[in-house]
Amino acid sequence: MPTSPLAPVLRPVVVVAEPLHPVAEVELGAGVEVRHVDGTDPAALRAAMGDAQALLVRSGTVVDAALLAAAPRLRVVARAGTGLRNIDVRACTQAGVMVVTAPTANLVSAAELTVGLMIAAARRIAPAHASLRAGRWERQDFVGTELAGRTLGILGLGRVGVLVAQRMAAFGMHVVAQDPFVQAGRAAQLGVRLVDLDTLLRTSDVISVHLPRTPETLGLIGERELGLVKPSLVLVNAARGGIVDEAALHRALLEGRVAAAGLDSFAEEPATGNPLLALDNVVATPHLGASTEQALEKAGRAVARSVRQALSGELVPDAVNVHGGVIAEEVRPLIGLTERLGRVFTGLAGGSAVSFDVEVRGEVVDQDVRVLELAALKGALSGVVLDESVSYVNVSLLAAERGTAVRLLTDPVSEDHRTLVTLRGTLADATTVEVSGTMVGTSERQRLVGLDGVEIDLDLADHLAFLRHPDRPGTVGTLGQVLGAAGVNIAGMQVVRLDGEVLVALAVDSPVPEPVLATLAAALDASWARTVSLG
């Protein structure tokens, strides 16, 4: 008689959908049943998932709602790498499936490939190699440029950016960086001078991109930015495609406004038809940043360890959505709330905190709530550490590296809410930012209930906007008119009067673009305006 998909199993079933380093299976141990399947065959994959509790993938297997529906026992999806474009994280979260990555596995490999692309582009190695293989000896046609004594501009001084800076300093390069979330003291320790984006563009001989692909960074280097650079510039992007406007880069390379480019990432992949690949002053690789024996081994070992932790109910350091661990039931709903409050804090602050308090009030403090300190830091630093690698393992270290002193404060008394979480940070200029949140109702909805000491009550939606402006008639109409013209729907709003001004807090259905926020601020004479996206 066939076994029901929901019948008990003797050992957890782990489906391996793509080739991984052999160490992964060794690390999983004998306590699991490993099942291999071709993840690029959706039908075969779904057929293998009926009793699976864990799924290991790389970048070729699509994990979506349809697959999750065929996997009722699934508890964890592990991606042996860092990118998540093939995994529907929201669907996994809604299904209660943890998603984990291997965020530190490819740091050195990515940095070394960046250096390789930099040298190859500067010295014209690829076209010289092609010429020589074609039987020509054309030394005069491939005169390159030295890197020693030149200025390297790094966009995003995260951990890969730091590794590149250290390596190129050994080449005798002067290093500048643009990263609003790194404090000047930390940069100085690395021998890096912080500058604004336009200064970096104008002064750099080589620019290397180390940013995540987000709505804010998409198309960051476009026609205007490429119009500011030296014509001798070498531009390298081994981070994420789409940060550099490829059409604008193509024109600049053709017209001699940029000398050369080294590319490992593209807006659309596979990029075999990309017109940039036809240019002799472009050296390109097919997204090989993590493709070294060492990185593959580290990734395989890391995700196998995370799967073991997830299946045993431990806290999984590299979870990106659902946080596991032996945590009290009363504390678990607060983890997501606290992480989102951390992201709101950073969005409002616009930079790192020098000191950071995580205050938890209510009966919940009878339980161990130390995980909330990590959740707050993880949320706050997710918009600060720009190489997509913030995890429970490294978040305390990353905070320390940025000179952020952290305290967890608890109080069993909460006068207005059953449980209240408040994040309070002091910035380098001595200003403070404070946000508070709670859970309400049987559905445990996340609510934002405080901002800089002002009581508010707003759903902690995926997209938020905040303004302070003079208190005068007609402002609500202006808000609706400007946002409506931009196609942004208001889902919730609160207006709080403050001594001649009002604080407006908005929950909206889609991100508010920065130009729209600027238009809105100007129309309302706003003294302060911020937008935050959590989705």
Side-chain angles (χ1 to χ4, degrees), residues 123-135:
R123 295 303 302 270
R124 307 195 64 193
I125 290 174
H129 172 74
S131 173
L132 189 57
R133 289 197 64 173

Side-chain angles (χ1 to χ4, degrees), residues 108-328:
V108 171
S109 294
E112 290 183 354
L113 180 64
T114 299
V115 173
L117 289 171
M118 208 176 290
I119 296 170
R123 295 303 302 270
R124 307 195 64 193
I125 290 174
H129 172 74
S131 173
L132 189 57
R133 289 197 64 173
R136 299 189 297 274
W137 188 265
E138 300 171 323
R139 298 175 61 193
Q140 71 282 357
D141 293 336
F142 301 109
V143 176
T145 185
E146 291 183 356
L147 298 177
R150 305 289 178 177
T151 297
L152 167 63
I154 294 181
L155 288 177
L157 198 59
R159 286 192 291 176
V160 176
V162 167
L163 291 177
V164 171
Q166 291 169 336
R167 282 152 177 76
M168 300 320 295
F171 273 63
M173 296 194 80
H174 308 294
V175 184
V176 299
Q178 191 272 333
D179 190 327
F181 301 110
V182 173
Q183 297 181 13
R186 169 62 176 159
Q189 290 176 347
L190 298 168
V192 176
R193 182 169 59 92
L194 291 179
V195 297
D196 59 47
L197 177 60
D198 284 3
T199 299
L200 183 145
L201 293 167
R202 290 190 176 99
T203 60
S204 297
D205 300 291
V206 179
I207 293 176
S208 188
V209 178
H210 300 284
L211 299 169
R213 177 171 166 163
T214 68
E216 292 75 25
T217 64
L218 192 64
L220 179 67
I221 305 301
E223 194 69 49
R224 185 195 77 85
E225 290 74 21
L226 293 174
L228 300 178
V229 304
K230 300 177 182 180
S232 57
L233 176 73
V234 174
L235 177 63
V236 177
N237 182 14
R240 290 284 182 258
I243 298 169
V244 178
D245 182 327
E246 292 176 359
L249 177 60
H250 187 269
R251 287 191 295 271
L253 288 163
L254 278 176
E255 296 168 7
R257 293 183 285 114
V258 171
L263 305 173
D264 185 52
S265 300
F266 301 87
E268 298 293 335
E269 296 179 357
T272 50
N274 194 305
L276 285 166
L277 303 182
L279 302 182
D280 287 341
N281 50 351
V282 171
V283 56
T285 47
H287 211 136
L288 298 180
S291 296
T292 64
E293 181 72 17
Q294 294 78 9
L296 294 173
E297 178 179 349
K298 285 184 280 189
R301 192 182 301 278
V303 294
R305 186 179 299 118
S306 291
V307 165
R308 286 204 334 265
Q309 292 173 321
L311 294 180
S312 62
E314 299 175 29
L315 178 66
V316 180
D318 296 321
V320 299
N321 63 338
V322 183
H323 308 284
V326 184
I327 299 169

Side-chain angles (χ1 to χ4, degrees), residues 64 135 152 157 193 246 281 283 285-286 300 347 373 385 394 416 423 433 458 481 498 503 532:
D64 55 15
L152 167 63
L157 198 59
R193 182 169 59 92
E246 292 176 359
N281 50 351
V283 56
T285 47
E373 177 181 336
V385 179
N394 63 22
D416 298 321
L423 310 185
V433 174
L458 190 72
Q481 183 178 9
L498 302 169
L503 170 65
V532 180

Side-chain angles (χ1 to χ4, degrees), residues 249-502:
L249 177 60
H250 187 269
R251 287 191 295 271
L253 288 163
L254 278 176
E255 296 168 7
R257 293 183 285 114
V258 171
L263 305 173
D264 185 52
S265 300
F266 301 87
E268 298 293 335
E269 296 179 357
T272 50
N274 194 305
L276 285 166
L277 303 182
L279 302 182
D280 287 341
N281 50 351
V282 171
V283 56
T285 47
H287 211 136
L288 298 180
S291 296
T292 64
E293 181 72 17
Q294 294 78 9
L296 294 173
E297 178 179 349
K298 285 184 280 189
R301 192 182 301 278
V303 294
R305 186 179 299 118
S306 291
V307 165
R308 286 204 334 265
Q309 292 173 321
L311 294 180
S312 62
E314 299 175 29
L315 178 66
V316 180
D318 296 321
V320 299
N321 63 338
V322 183
H323 308 284
V326 184
I327 299 169
E329 289 296 327
E330 299 93 328
V331 177
R332 292 188 184 190
L334 299 177
I335 296 174
L337 167 71
T338 306
E339 183 172 339
R340 286 166 72 86
L341 286 174
R343 295 177 65 183
V344 172
F345 172 90
T346 295
L348 297 178
S352 297
V354 175
S355 63
F356 196 63
D357 287 348
V358 181
E359 182 180 87
V360 185
R361 288 178 170 267
E363 295 178 359
V364 71
V365 303
D366 292 338
Q367 309 294 333
D368 184 351
V369 295
R370 287 175 296 177
V371 68
L372 300 184
E373 177 181 336
L374 298 179
L377 284 174
K378 186 172 184 293
L381 292 182
S382 291
V384 173
V385 179
L386 299 180
D387 53 13
E388 299 179 287
S389 61
V390 182
S391 72
Y392 279 90
V393 160
N394 63 22
V395 69
S396 295
L397 175 61
L398 292 171
E401 287 178 346
R402 281 155 179 76
T404 302
V406 185
R407 295 189 303 173
L408 176 65
L409 308 175
T410 60
D411 190 332
V413 177
S414 177
E415 296 179 353
D416 298 321
H417 305 279
R418 182 179 178 184
T419 305
L420 182 69
V421 178
T422 298
L423 310 185
R424 187 180 302 109
T426 302
L427 309 183
D429 61 0
T431 60
T432 60
V433 174
E434 178 181 301
V435 294
S436 299
T438 191
M439 312 291 294
V440 298
T442 56
S443 62
E444 296 184 320
R445 287 185 295 116
Q446 298 175 349
R447 298 286 287 182
L448 187 65
V449 297
L451 175 61
D452 289 339
V454 177
E455 291 185 5
I456 59 176
D457 188 20
L458 190 72
D459 276 334
L460 197 52
D462 284 349
H463 307 291
L464 304 166
F466 306 89
L467 300 100
R468 283 187 72 150
H469 61 78
D471 187 4
R472 63 192 183 202
T475 56
V476 173
T478 301
L479 275 166
Q481 183 178 9
V482 173
L483 293 177
V488 178
N489 190 48
I490 299 175
M493 176 169 59
Q494 187 168 21
V495 179
V496 182
R497 284 180 162 173
L498 302 169
D499 297 326
E501 284 193 314
V502 293

